[in-house]
């Protein structure tokens, strides 16, 4: 029989899963209709103010359901999600004194469109066009919801099963990498209700805390805390190092956000090495992949000391896993090693990430200030390349009697010169590299892909690093000549 403590832990877990706070971690905000913006929101809002037509922060997911779907019930379910999550009924603004704030609306209609391509020739190709259009339409963060829905009826599959696509376009100000599970749970719950009671109102359980509660709490906490330790740590990361590492093909005076994306799947051998080294060295796959990416860059830059960015979720507070929202923060990882073998490099990478994660809540806007002050470069960014690694299967809504797939659309704009997003599935690992086309030729990105594949394929725990680097780097002491 479980103990009282175990029962209490189970109850906390279940309450947390539906977004009900069970302790006083994040208090309810002081003003129901208005709150300060969180640091994550501030970054996105400030960029959109500078570049109003930017779509670099757009996120577009396309879900395709095969089987019999009650379209009306699914529409009601998604609108139920909008009703439950205040963040989907929020607009963003700046006070006369320059302070950023958000307004939470009782009712903020979202755009919902329906297209019928059931009888249209090449409906799949037309869907691809619709997804591209949705991904590249800017959002007015001050005047509209940050989510749009498009329902697309497609021709049946080869077995005669009906198909329905739902294209969800969003702005990054409401979305991070861990939002999909929260949305999927709510859609599944409300869809079941809508099926069971087509004429009745949905039962929308209260959600606490909401994103605006977190934002106000975060700003209050930051204002009250002492940041000397965080500041000192990040100052050390930017001392005596260049924040620009990538092998640019061009350096124009002005760089647009125009981007392309090059996707590859790791070979079976490289993927097997990634998993086996993670197990053998008892580290997350992210640590192994980051070590590989470091060597891939070192092979073509000759630099030993390299800054690589990554993003952390910062969803530790009770109830936050149930929220749709952007809680992410970007941090810099300074990687360099004197180790002899690949296992030494992985250990160094793990130590670097552990140390940096200890200061993960230090806001990115302040990280930029530190980088510029320490480097003496008023235009410096903390890094020019970033790695995201997802090693858990993220599924969209699972509807009864229906199979589903989803894809992340390329939006044609990027904030960073180069970003690597790696998705580890049960049976494969995909590596997507987005790059600004004003700076890079496709051949350079292909070379980075090649280096990742080759280093990973050749790596073993005891493999000397000298075997994984070009001979001229080794003989020149790490500086390409």
């Amino acid at each position: 029989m479980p103990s009282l403590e175990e029962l209490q832990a189970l109850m906390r877990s279940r309450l947390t899963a539906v977004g009900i706070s069970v302790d006083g971690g994040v208090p309810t905000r002081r003003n129901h209709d208005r709150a300060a913006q969180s640091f994550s929101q501030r970054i996105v809002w400030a960029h959109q103010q500078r570049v109003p037509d930017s779509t670099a922060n757009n996120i577009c997911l396309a879900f395709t359901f095969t089987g019999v779907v009650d379209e009306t019930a699914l529409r009601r379910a998604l609108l139920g999600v909008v009703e439950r999550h205040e963040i989907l009924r929020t607009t963003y603004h700046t006070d006369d004194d320059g302070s950023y704030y958000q307004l939470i609306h009782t009712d903020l209609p979202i755009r919902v469109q329906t297209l019928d391509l059931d009888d249209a020739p090449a409906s799949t190709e037309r869907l691809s066009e619709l997804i591209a259009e949705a991904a590249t339409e800017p959002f007015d963060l001050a005047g509209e919801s940050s989510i749009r829905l498009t329902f697309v009826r497609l021709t049946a599959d080869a077995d005669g099963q009906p198909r329905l696509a739902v294209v969800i376009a969003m702005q990054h100000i409401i979305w991070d990498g861990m939002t999909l599970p929260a949305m999927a749970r709510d859609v599944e719950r409300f869809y079941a209700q809508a099926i069971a009671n087509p004429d009745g109102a949905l039962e929308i359980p209260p959600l606490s805390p909401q994103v605006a509660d977190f934002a106000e709490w975060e700003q209050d906490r930051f204002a009250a805390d002492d940041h000397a330790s965080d500041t000192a740590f990040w100052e050390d990361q930017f001392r005596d190092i260049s924040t620009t590492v990538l092998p640019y093909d061009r350096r124009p005076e002005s760089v647009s956000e125009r981007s392309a994306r090059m996707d590859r799947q790791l070979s079976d051998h490289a993927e097997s090495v990634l998993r086996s080294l993670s197990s053998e060295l008892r580290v997350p796959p992210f640590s192994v992949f980051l070590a590989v990416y470091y060597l891939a860059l070192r092979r073509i830059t000759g630099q030993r000391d390299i800054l690589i960015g990554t993003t952390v979720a910062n969803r530790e507070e009770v109830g936050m896993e149930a929220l749709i929202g952007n809680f992410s923060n970007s941090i810099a990882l300074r990687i360099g090693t004197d180790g002899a073998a690949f296992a030494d490099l992985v250990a160094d990478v793990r130590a670097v990430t552990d140390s940096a994660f200890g200061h993960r809540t230090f806001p990115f806007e302040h990280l930029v200030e530190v980088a510029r002050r320490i480097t003496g470069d008023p235009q410096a960014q903390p890094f020019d390349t970033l790695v995201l690694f997802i090693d858990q299967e993220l599924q969209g809504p699972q509807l009864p009697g229906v199979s589903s797939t989803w894809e992340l659309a390329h939006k044609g704009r990027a904030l960073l010169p180069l970003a690597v997003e790696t998705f580890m599935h049960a049976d494969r690992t995909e590596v997507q590299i987005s790059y600004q086309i004003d700076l890079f030729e496709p051949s350079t990105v292909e070379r980075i892909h090649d280096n990742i594949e080759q280093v990973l394929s050749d790596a073993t725990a005891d493999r000397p690093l000298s075997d994984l680097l070009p001979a001229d780097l080794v003989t020149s002491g790490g500086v390409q000549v």
Side-chain angles (χ1 to χ4, degrees):
M1 182 174 179
S3 66
L4 177 60
E5 290 77 10
E6 289 171 331
L7 289 172
Q8 289 173 334
L10 178 61
M11 182 60 69
R12 283 195 300 270
S13 175
R14 289 179 175 175
L15 290 173
T16 295
V18 297
I20 299 175
S21 180
V22 294
D23 67 13
V26 177
T28 302
R29 60 188 179 275
R30 294 177 287 273
N31 184 333
H32 181 267
D33 300 323
R34 171 176 168 148
Q37 293 182 26
S38 71
F39 283 114
S40 297
Q41 291 170 326
R42 287 161 59 103
I43 289 291
V44 179
W45 170 245
H47 178 77
Q48 214 65 27
Q49 291 295 98
R50 292 191 300 269
V51 192
D53 62 346
S54 173
T55 58
N57 278 309
N58 280 19
I59 296 167
C60 185
L61 302 179
F63 301 91
T64 300
F65 301 97
T66 302
V68 178
V69 175
D70 186 324
E71 185 179 332
T72 300
L74 183 55
R75 181 191 295 255
R76 290 181 63 203
L78 284 162
L79 293 178
V81 173
V82 175
E83 182 179 344
R84 187 174 196 228
H85 293 264
E86 294 175 345
I87 191 69
L88 304 181
R89 296 179 278 107
T90 295
T91 55
Y92 305 88
H93 310 271
T94 304
D95 262 335
D96 293 338
D97 65 359
S99 300
Y100 298 160
Y101 67 96
Q102 55 187 309
L103 290 179
I104 301 89
H105 302 262
T106 302
D107 182 37
L108 184 64
I110 70 169
R111 186 201 301 175
V112 182
Q113 296 177 302
T114 299
L115 296 173
D116 193 344
L117 302 180
D118 188 14
D119 296 325
S123 66
T124 301
E125 290 76 6
R126 178 58 183 137
L127 175 62
S128 297
E129 295 173 358
L130 290 170
I131 293 170
E133 292 167 6
T136 54
E137 181 182 355
F139 281 89
D140 175 9
L141 296 180
E144 65 174 321
S145 170
S146 298
I147 186 171
R148 302 175 183 135
L149 304 176
T150 304
F151 291 78
V152 186
R153 302 182 192 114
L154 302 170
T155 54
D157 70 359
D159 297 323
Q161 290 293 310
R163 293 188 302 150
L164 174 70
V166 180
V167 181
I168 305 181
M170 296 160 289
Q171 225 278 354
H172 187 35
I173 205 164
I174 67 160
W175 190 271
D176 63 19
M178 301 313 298
T179 292
L180 182 55
M183 175 180 278
R185 284 193 299 268
D186 282 350
V187 169
E188 291 165 4
R189 177 190 314 165
F190 298 151
Y191 182 78
Q193 283 189 37
I195 292 289
N197 189 8
D199 298 322
L202 297 178
E203 295 181 6
I204 310 293
L207 186 59
S208 177
Q210 294 270 0
V211 173
D213 299 323
F214 166 82
E216 183 172 277
W217 170 80
E218 180 194 53
Q219 294 296 321
D220 289 348
R221 185 181 62 170
F222 188 82
D225 285 352
D226 179 0
H227 306 289
S229 174
D230 287 334
T231 301
F233 174 84
W234 291 116
E235 286 175 346
D236 286 343
Q237 305 313 300
F238 296 114
R239 194 164 281 118
D240 302 321
I241 191 172
S242 171
T243 61
T244 303
V245 64
L246 293 173
Y248 298 112
D249 295 307
R250 294 176 290 274
R251 292 181 180 269
E253 289 187 6
S254 112
V255 179
S256 73
E257 295 176 343
R258 293 181 307 144
S259 71
R261 196 178 83 190
M262 190 177 296
D263 300 353
R264 276 202 199 173
Q265 183 173 312
L266 291 179
S267 68
D268 291 343
H269 175 64
E271 213 253 346
S272 175
V273 171
L274 176 62
R275 293 178 189 271
S276 62
L277 281 173
S278 173
S279 176
E280 178 183 354
L281 300 176
R282 298 183 179 181
V283 296
F286 172 61
S287 298
V288 177
F289 185 84
L290 190 57
V292 168
Y293 183 57
Y294 162 79
L295 289 177
L297 291 180
R298 187 169 168 179
R299 288 167 67 99
I300 57 178
T301 66
Q303 298 187 42
R304 174 193 170 279
D305 222 3
I306 295 177
L307 282 166
I308 299 173
T310 194
T311 298
V312 291
N314 285 344
R315 282 178 173 257
E316 291 84 3
E317 298 301 320
V318 172
M320 292 174 65
E321 67 272 27
L323 292 176
I324 292 170
N326 178 12
F327 300 96
S328 62
N329 187 43
S330 295
I331 58 175
L333 304 174
R334 181 171 179 168
I335 302 174
T337 185
D338 295 317
F342 184 74
D344 300 323
L345 170 60
V346 173
D348 289 344
V349 166
R350 181 64 189 276
V352 165
T353 54
D354 284 351
S355 295
F357 281 18
H359 303 271
R360 65 189 177 277
T361 60
F362 192 69
F364 182 74
E365 63 184 70
H366 292 284
L367 196 67
V368 172
E369 294 172 359
V370 172
R372 292 176 176 177
R373 174 163 48 81
I374 297 300
T375 63
D377 180 357
Q379 302 301 318
Q381 292 294 320
F383 44 79
D384 59 357
T385 183
L386 174 143
V387 172
L388 297 177
F389 194 96
I390 306 296
D391 61 355
Q392 64 184 88
E393 202 71 40
L394 297 179
Q395 294 185 330
Q398 302 300 297
L399 307 182
V402 175
S403 63
S404 64
T405 60
W406 67 275
E407 63 175 291
L408 174 64
H410 177 56
K411 57 207 172 188
R413 297 291 186 271
L415 294 173
L416 278 176
L418 190 143
V420 180
E421 295 179 90
T422 304
F423 300 89
M424 177 178 272
H425 303 279
D427 58 348
R428 69 192 187 284
T429 296
E430 298 171 347
V431 181
Q432 301 177 351
I433 301 183
S434 299
Y435 61 98
Q436 292 179 336
I437 61 177
D438 291 347
L439 300 174
F440 295 102
E441 295 288 347
S443 58
T444 300
V445 181
E446 288 179 358
R447 189 179 174 196
I448 293 173
H449 264 304
D450 290 342
N451 280 341
I452 291 171
E453 174 75 24
Q454 184 174 350
V455 171
L456 195 48
S457 296
D458 293 344
T460 61
D462 57 358
R463 190 75 181 261
L465 291 183
S466 57
D467 289 355
L468 300 172
L469 293 169
D472 57 351
L473 284 185
V474 177
T475 56
S476 66
V479 178
Q480 197 164 24
V481 295

